[in-house]
Amino acid sequence: MTARDRTITTINRRSLLQGTARLTGAAATIAALRTAFPSGAFAQGAGPETTKATLGFIALTDSAPLIVAKEKGLFDQVGLSEVTVSKQASWGTTRDNLVLGSAGGGIDGAHILTPMPYLMTLGTITAENKPLPMQILCRLNTNGQAISVAKDLMPAGATVDAKPLKAAFADMKAKGQDVKCAVTFPGGTHDLWMRYWLAAGGIDPNKDVSTIVVPPPQMVANMKVGNMQAFCVGEPWNDQLVHQGIGYSACVTGELWKDHPEKSLALRADWVDANPKAAAALLQAVLEAQRWADKPENKEEMAQIIGRRAWFNVPPTDILPRSLGTIDYGDGRKVENSPLLMKFWKDFASYPFQSHELWFLTEDRRWGYIAPDVDLKGLIAKVNREDLWRQAAQAAGVPAEEIPAGTSRGKETFFDGKVFDPDAPDAYLASLAIKTVA
């Protein structure tokens, strides 16, 4: 019996009702954090400024904390009885709906690619370059993405090392074929993982291939009809690709950078400013959902929940294996109990390290998405609300050892030996051979 078969058997055997009992601890924590607000802050007239919030999500496993918080009633338990979690068609749609805001028929916040709130605050990706101040309240996850390659390129043997594709891509171009590598949004996390992977293998993402933008849920269908040779996206789409025999995972992104930051929960700054108590309550509910979703015994129910038609409309068997650390790359490599599985809470996964924000912004500068004269650390100070995260974690009774001591995780080492020192981002940028900037 294969790992995937065992997973399917497990899903069929266990009852979802087990999850209700598991939430007892989460409900108790939420009940306890209510007492942390002075004068019974959740009583009528003294609680959150609003009971409403509209949050966007893309059908990716790392949106699970928002969906779990909604499905498990965690938003209700902190006084936010009218939270809507709304599916978005693409990251471009997410951006546009954030610009509208809920008052204009859009959304107040979202599960989002971490660089996007910065690009929106700068106005580089909004209509007429009009800035929309955003704030990041927490990181939603680390790890959990992959770079997938079409089946017909499997013989080249590309893994975390993309070098074997250099000759294959050059041969295709010599024959007049356009080599396409799909990402989900320019300057977003998947774009940066793809570019890093290609460049580390000596492939210039600006000259040797064409990078195209495809919404996450459409990746598999587009590769099936031959629209691209590679793509980078979050789960469950890489695992679904393997299950359908269309391609394989060259690498999971944790191989590029172990425990790398990924998505964030971001809200319009004006919404946070107008509703500070509601923002705190919302964040507490999401943190509790992250803690629940990170427990191995809850992964099966999580996969069942987010796989439903109302959310992803994807078989749980496309979600669960990699959520548990079972990685079938699709090219004969199989790993069980991988330490590179998606994390929602463990190892400070939820905390928005400012040093990680600086890496994303430095990479966006590398590829020309951010002008060289932008004060990156000043920008981070405006967008990153790690202070709110700490307040929410303390109010929720998070143990002190699960709260980082500082805002930096220190030096980060990548698979190709490059080291990012948050105290010397310019030195890191200068060390990179392939880039857009001089």
Side-chain angles (χ1 to χ4, degrees):
M1 180 181 287
T2 66
R4 174 168 156 75
D5 291 336
R6 288 196 297 273
T7 298
I8 295 172
T9 301
T10 299
I11 291 177
N12 291 336
R13 186 173 62 243
R14 295 180 185 172
S15 169
L16 287 179
L17 294 176
Q18 292 175 324
T20 302
R22 293 180 191 130
L23 194 63
T24 301
T29 300
I30 291 292
L33 68 85
R34 290 186 180 208
T35 65
F37 285 79
S39 304
F42 289 108
Q44 185 175 3
E49 301 83 357
T50 178
T51 59
K52 298 179 180 180
T54 303
L55 306 175
F57 81 99
I58 296 283
L60 292 162
T61 304
D62 40 40
S63 67
L66 300 188
I67 297 170
V68 167
K70 177 65 177 178
E71 287 276 348
K72 292 295 185 181
L74 297 179
F75 291 129
D76 297 338
Q77 293 180 46
V78 294
L80 301 177
S81 58
E82 298 177 89
V83 171
T84 299
V85 180
S86 175
K87 184 183 290 187
Q88 308 294 297
S90 67
W91 295 118
T93 302
T94 299
R95 171 204 57 203
D96 295 344
N97 281 330
L98 282 167
V99 170
L100 288 173
S102 60
I107 58 180
D108 302 305
H111 151 252
I112 201 166
L113 299 166
T114 292
M116 286 184 67
Y118 289 97
L119 299 175
M120 294 175 72
T121 298
L122 289 172
T124 60
I125 60 171
T126 51
E128 299 178 350
N129 299 125
K130 184 177 180 180
L132 177 69
M134 297 288 297
Q135 293 186 356
I136 288 176
L137 273 62
C138 73
R139 195 82 66 230
L140 287 176
N141 67 297
T142 58
N143 300 327
Q145 323 299 296
I147 295 175
S148 291
V149 177
K151 187 175 183 179
D152 60 357
L153 286 169
M154 192 184 299
T159 57
V160 69
D161 183 2
K163 289 187 186 73
L165 286 175
K166 187 171 184 177
F169 286 171
D171 184 57
M172 290 177 63
K173 290 192 71 174
K175 295 177 180 177
Q177 297 174 261
D178 190 10
V179 180
K180 296 178 181 178
C181 295
V183 299
T184 62
F185 192 85
T189 57
H190 302 121
D191 185 27
L192 300 183
W193 306 136
M194 176 64 80
R195 287 173 175 274
Y196 195 102
W197 179 68
L198 290 170
I203 302 168
D204 191 324
N206 291 331
K207 300 175 181 177
D208 299 330
V209 303
S210 298
T211 53
I212 62 172
V213 174
V214 175
Q218 297 177 26
M219 288 289 191
V220 175
N222 273 271
M223 185 169 279
K224 187 174 184 178
V225 297
N227 283 348
M228 79 271 280
Q229 282 65 51
F231 65 64
C232 182
V233 73
E235 297 302 341
W237 308 112
N238 301 283
D239 209 19
Q240 186 179 90
L241 182 84
V242 170
H243 293 167
Q244 294 186 14
I246 300 166
Y248 77 102
S249 294
C251 64
V252 295
T253 48
E255 294 174 70
L256 302 177
W257 175 11
K258 186 177 184 295
D259 291 343
H260 68 77
E262 238 312 306
K263 307 298 188 303
S264 293
L265 169 63
L267 286 95
R268 289 174 55 115
D270 58 4
W271 193 92
V272 176
D273 292 343
N275 305 290
K277 291 180 183 178
L282 186 149
L283 180 53
Q284 289 156 11
V286 172
L287 297 191
E288 196 55 54
Q290 289 184 274
R291 297 169 80 186
W292 181 88
D294 216 37
K295 295 178 180 179
E297 64 268 26
N298 293 335
K299 299 291 187 183
E300 179 187 320
E301 185 182 359
M302 181 195 77
Q304 291 278 5
I305 290 172
I306 66 178
R308 292 173 187 162
R309 180 179 294 275
W311 303 112
F312 290 14
N313 195 24
V314 168
T317 48
D318 284 346
I319 301 169
L320 184 56
R322 294 196 183 192
S323 294
L324 290 170
T326 299
I327 304 171
D328 179 353
Y329 288 81
D331 61 354
R333 293 175 294 153
K334 293 183 180 180
V335 175
E336 295 196 34
N337 300 315
S338 171
L340 304 179
L341 80 171
M342 184 179 293
K343 299 176 183 179
F344 298 105
W345 185 259
K346 186 179 178 182
D347 299 325
F348 307 131
S350 172
Y351 177 75
F353 282 102
Q354 293 184 357
S355 59
H356 291 165
E357 317 277 60
L358 185 59
W359 181 84
F360 282 122
L361 298 181
T362 301
E363 283 289 312
D364 271 344
R365 175 176 284 176
R366 173 187 183 182
W367 300 113
Y369 294 119
I370 292 180
D373 60 349
V374 173
D375 176 7
L376 300 185
K377 291 187 177 180
L379 179 61
I380 291 169
K382 295 177 182 178
V383 176
N384 180 285
R385 295 304 307 272
E386 63 84 28
D387 59 317
L388 295 184
W389 188 96
R390 291 179 183 278
Q391 293 169 20
Q394 290 169 1
V398 172
E401 62 270 19
E402 296 179 21
I403 299 176
T407 61
S408 174
R409 204 170 70 174
K411 295 180 179 179
E412 304 282 353
T413 302
F414 296 79
F415 84 103
D416 58 349
K418 294 294 182 182
V419 176
F420 176 74
D421 182 349
D423 291 327
D426 290 342
Y428 164 80
L429 189 57
S431 74
L432 302 168
I434 298 177
K435 53 197 171 189
T436 299
V437 298

